[in-house]
Amino acid sequence: MSIYSEITFARKIIFWVLLAFYIITLPILLMFAFGITLEPRGNKPVIRTGILEVSSRPSGSLIKINGKSVKEKTPAVIENMKPGIYTITLVKDKYRSWEARVEIKADSVTHLDSVILFPQRLKQKSLLIKPFRNFIPFANGEYALLLSDSVNNISFYDIKSGTILEKPEELATYDDYVIIKVENVPSSDLVFLFLLGAEGISVIGLDTQMGKLRIQELTEKFETLPDKILWYSPYLDMIYFLKGETLYSIGKNDESTRNLIASSVIGTGYYKNSFFYMLQNGKIFEINRLGIKLPHIKIEEEKIRRYFGGGKNLTIFYAEGKKIGIFLKEERKLLIVSPERELTWAGITGEEVDVERDRILLWTEKGVGTINIPDRFLDSELPEVNWYLNAIEKINPIGPIGNNSHFLFSREGKIIAKPILPKTQGKEYEIVEGLPKEKIYYSEETGKLVMVKPAKGQIRSLKIIPEKGFSVSKIIK
């Protein structure tokens, strides 16, 4: 056999060996890519797997699965996990370990996002000032108004630094006015002060720009005091407010003192730069940032999954076709309205819509749970509540924190955090012990708990979340 023939024969051997290897390994690679593993000795030789995504605050936490460390640190994606219940532990130096039992399902991703590792030592800052009447946070979560009876005696608290801010010089113009009403409107970063002076009822807005307080003189005067300010449009310098069940608007440049928008209003809400209101006949209207009134016919024409927000006495959280999910605040019950029937779930003391996870958080005096927002509402049944905490003893709910990943409540003089992530059952974490009777607030933007005794002029703040807050800022009482 010539050298050429030997080389040709060797090439053929290599080709067929590689082809056989390719044919054998290709199905295995494809199964691996599609999340399928082989268990030749098990009852099921082929198993479809799931994925675990983990992120934490702070990042860089060590991940343990059933007590064994993995090479990845948060944030991490762990693939090809067999379906089942796992104990997931996150560990980082100077922070308390986080642990929960997590369910992994085949062909699905389990998200452990926004997991909070609480510091082993909390930094506390205390402030003692002259007594004040009330502590009113700004919607941006960075500042608070310390309210007294007159404009001359009010002051401002910087939650991030734990210090008192200088009052804007323009506020001195209103020193002789009496404060008769304060409104904190969720649709803006303004706190509205209704003032009684010689010329009647005036309203000013307190705003924060570049970390500095400023005054916005919004209107000349009101004829009567409104029941509730619902919306403020900075584009039009226009306030929308309720008096009874009637919706009005008033602007600085209006010739009239108020403009009638609608009667028989039973609910209101917000979404981005729009304001919604609902009438007794079930019709919903939208007022956009330009002040244009639009009948919201598209609710009947297409699926809408979005949060309209809080209002006078209800929250509209979801709509599809003619079916609208509503939370009635006064009656503390969940209502699904459709042309055929109404379904209720009662006993709720608070709610929060978790837009990112398509669910509604609900809490009572004894429990914390969630309802998943379905793709379609079923006429036959009300969505079930998944309880993360169903206590025998009464709790004092504070609210969700960390992008709705944990829930804060107080019990027996302690502030406790409970994980409320989907497919997860985590243990409780005691944040503060020996808690006196104080008003408790949480600022998502700063990651701080603020405990207040207005009559004694005491303000204490505790940093409980290590890094900067999430993009959605909120303050929860």
Side-chain angles (χ1 to χ4, degrees), residues 75-110:
V77 178
I78 302 173
E79 300 179 328
N80 299 303
M81 295 186 67
K82 299 173 187 176
I85 305 295
Y86 294 82
T87 298
I88 306 298
T89 308
L90 303 184
V91 180
K92 191 173 179 66
D93 189 33
K94 297 182 180 180
Y95 293 89
R96 298 167 65 179
S97 298
W98 185 92
E99 183 177 296
R101 291 179 61 78
V102 179
E103 182 181 7
I104 301 296
K105 292 185 176 181
D107 301 323
S108 68
V109 180
T110 298

Side-chain angles (χ1 to χ4, degrees), residues 1 28 33 58 90-91 107 126 130 153 178 230 284 329 333 354 371 378 402 459 473:
M1 182 180 293
I28 298 174
L90 303 184
V91 180
D107 301 323
S126 299
K130 62 182 180 181
N153 293 323
V178 176
L230 301 172
I284 296 177
K329 295 191 173 184
K333 65 182 180 181
D354 188 349
I371 290 180
L378 302 177
I459 305 175
S473 300

Side-chain angles (χ1 to χ4, degrees), residues 21-38 80:
F21 178 79
Y22 176 78
I23 292 172
I24 293 170
T25 58
L26 179 61
I28 298 174
L29 292 173
L30 288 174
M31 291 172 69
F32 182 82
F34 285 97
I36 301 174
T37 59
L38 295 175
N80 299 303

Side-chain angles (χ1 to χ4, degrees), residues 168-182:
E169 295 179 359
E170 304 92 326
L171 204 56
T173 307
Y174 302 93
D175 276 352
D176 296 331
Y177 285 68
V178 176
I179 300 172
I180 55 176
K181 188 179 181 67
V182 180

Side-chain angles (χ1 to χ4, degrees), residues 63-69 87-89:
I63 304 171
K64 292 184 178 181
I65 301 177
N66 290 340
K68 296 182 179 180
S69 300
T87 298
I88 306 298
T89 308

Side-chain angles (χ1 to χ4, degrees), residues 139-400:
N140 64 9
E142 297 181 354
Y143 305 96
L145 168 66
L146 307 182
L147 185 64
S148 296
D149 293 328
S150 65
V151 175
N152 186 41
N153 293 323
I154 65 174
S155 53
F156 301 91
Y157 178 69
D158 186 332
I159 296 175
K160 187 174 183 179
S161 65
T163 59
I164 298 297
L165 299 173
E166 291 185 8
K167 288 193 294 187
E169 295 179 359
E170 304 92 326
L171 204 56
T173 307
Y174 302 93
D175 276 352
D176 296 331
Y177 285 68
V178 176
I179 300 172
I180 55 176
K181 188 179 181 67
V182 180
E183 290 275 6
N184 192 339
V185 181
S187 60
S188 71
D189 287 339
L190 291 174
V191 171
F192 294 95
L193 293 184
F194 286 84
L195 310 174
L196 182 60
E199 297 182 357
I201 300 171
S202 299
V203 59
I204 61 173
L206 302 173
D207 195 8
T208 56
Q209 285 260 335
M210 304 296 291
K212 190 175 181 180
L213 284 160
R214 67 184 184 125
I215 296 296
Q216 288 196 38
E217 298 185 53
L218 299 171
T219 59
E220 298 280 332
K221 64 177 181 178
F222 277 73
E223 286 183 344
T224 58
L225 196 65
D227 294 336
K228 180 75 174 178
I229 292 183
L230 301 172
W231 176 256
Y232 169 68
S233 171
Y235 303 96
L236 302 174
D237 200 11
M238 185 81 71
I239 294 173
Y240 294 88
F241 65 93
L242 274 176
K243 187 69 177 178
E245 293 186 349
T246 306
L247 177 64
Y248 297 96
S249 69
I250 186 170
K252 187 174 182 180
N253 299 321
D254 282 349
E255 294 181 1
S256 60
T257 54
R258 61 183 180 181
N259 304 305
L260 174 63
I261 303 295
S263 302
S264 302
V265 176
I266 63 168
T268 58
Y270 322 103
Y271 181 71
K272 294 184 178 178
N273 292 320
S274 293
F275 164 68
F276 295 83
Y277 62 92
M278 185 176 185
L279 304 180
Q280 284 182 352
N281 59 13
K283 291 184 178 179
I284 296 177
F285 293 87
E286 173 186 350
I287 296 179
N288 63 20
R289 63 182 182 177
L290 301 178
I292 300 173
K293 178 180 174 181
L294 302 170
H296 223 265
I297 303 174
K298 62 182 180 181
I299 282 184
E300 299 180 1
E301 296 178 348
E302 65 182 22
K303 295 180 180 179
I304 299 174
R305 180 180 294 184
R306 62 188 184 186
Y307 175 38
F308 291 166
K312 176 189 173 187
N313 61 2
L314 58 80
T315 296
I316 304 171
F317 64 83
Y318 182 92
E320 180 194 86
K322 294 183 179 180
K323 299 178 184 179
I324 302 170
I326 297 175
F327 175 76
L328 297 176
K329 295 191 173 184
E330 291 179 359
E331 299 178 34
R332 313 311 304 175
K333 65 182 180 181
L334 184 69
L335 180 71
I336 296 177
V337 178
S338 69
E340 299 85 16
R341 63 197 306 241
E342 296 180 353
L343 301 171
T344 63
W345 190 92
I348 308 166
T349 58
E351 93 287 347
E352 175 93 4
V353 176
D354 188 349
V355 178
E356 293 184 9
R357 300 178 182 90
D358 283 336
R359 63 179 185 166
I360 308 162
L361 309 181
L362 306 171
W363 53 92
T364 71
E365 292 183 345
K366 290 190 176 181
V368 180
T370 61
I371 290 180
N372 293 326
I373 300 176
D375 291 330
R376 294 189 60 85
F377 282 125
L378 302 177
D379 290 335
S380 60
E381 61 183 17
L382 184 70
E384 292 185 0
V385 180
N386 175 33
W387 291 104
Y388 290 88
L389 173 67
N390 205 351
I392 299 174
E393 299 176 357
K394 183 178 178 180
I395 64 171
N396 178 30
I398 300 172

